[in-house]
Amino acid sequence: SKYVKVKKDSCIACGSCGSAAPEIFDFDDDGLAEVIFEGDGNKGVTLIASDLLEELNDAIDSCPTSCIKTAAAPFA
Ligand code: F3S
């Protein structure tokens, strides 16, 4: 099980995450990536569906600044 959020202060808006996992990531109004899965709002409190974990891992691997953070439990 995985929870995910973007550490936005490290995001350079390269867009790789949204290309790899469009159901999980999109750009916010400032042009930075955020987690949009099931309306998470980049809080990191929504469990990512297991069938999206491969896409999620691709997104994490593709991020040049390693600003996509995951955890086994919801982010506080
Ligand atoms: Fe930002 Fe990394 Fe995505 S730099 S746009 S979180 S791939």
Side-chain angles (χ1 to χ4, degrees):
S1 61
K2 269 197 179 167
Y3 296 83
V4 61
K5 70 186 296 184
V6 176
K7 193 167 170 276
K8 291 191 187 188
D9 57 3
S10 301
C11 174
I12 58 168
C14 82
S16 295
C17 55
S19 296
E23 291 176 77
I24 302 175
F25 301 99
D26 199 357
F27 290 121
D28 67 13
D29 292 341
D30 297 321
L32 300 175
E34 65 176 359
V35 174
I36 50 104
F37 182 68
E38 291 185 349
D40 183 73
N42 205 52
K43 292 186 172 66
V45 297
T46 308
L47 183 63
I48 302 300
S50 56
D51 62 342
L52 293 178
L53 291 182
E54 196 171 324
E55 286 184 22
L56 174 60
N57 285 330
D58 288 345
I60 292 168
D61 290 345
S62 74
C63 179
T65 61
S66 302
C67 59
I68 301 171
K69 304 301 181 187
T70 62
F75 286 84

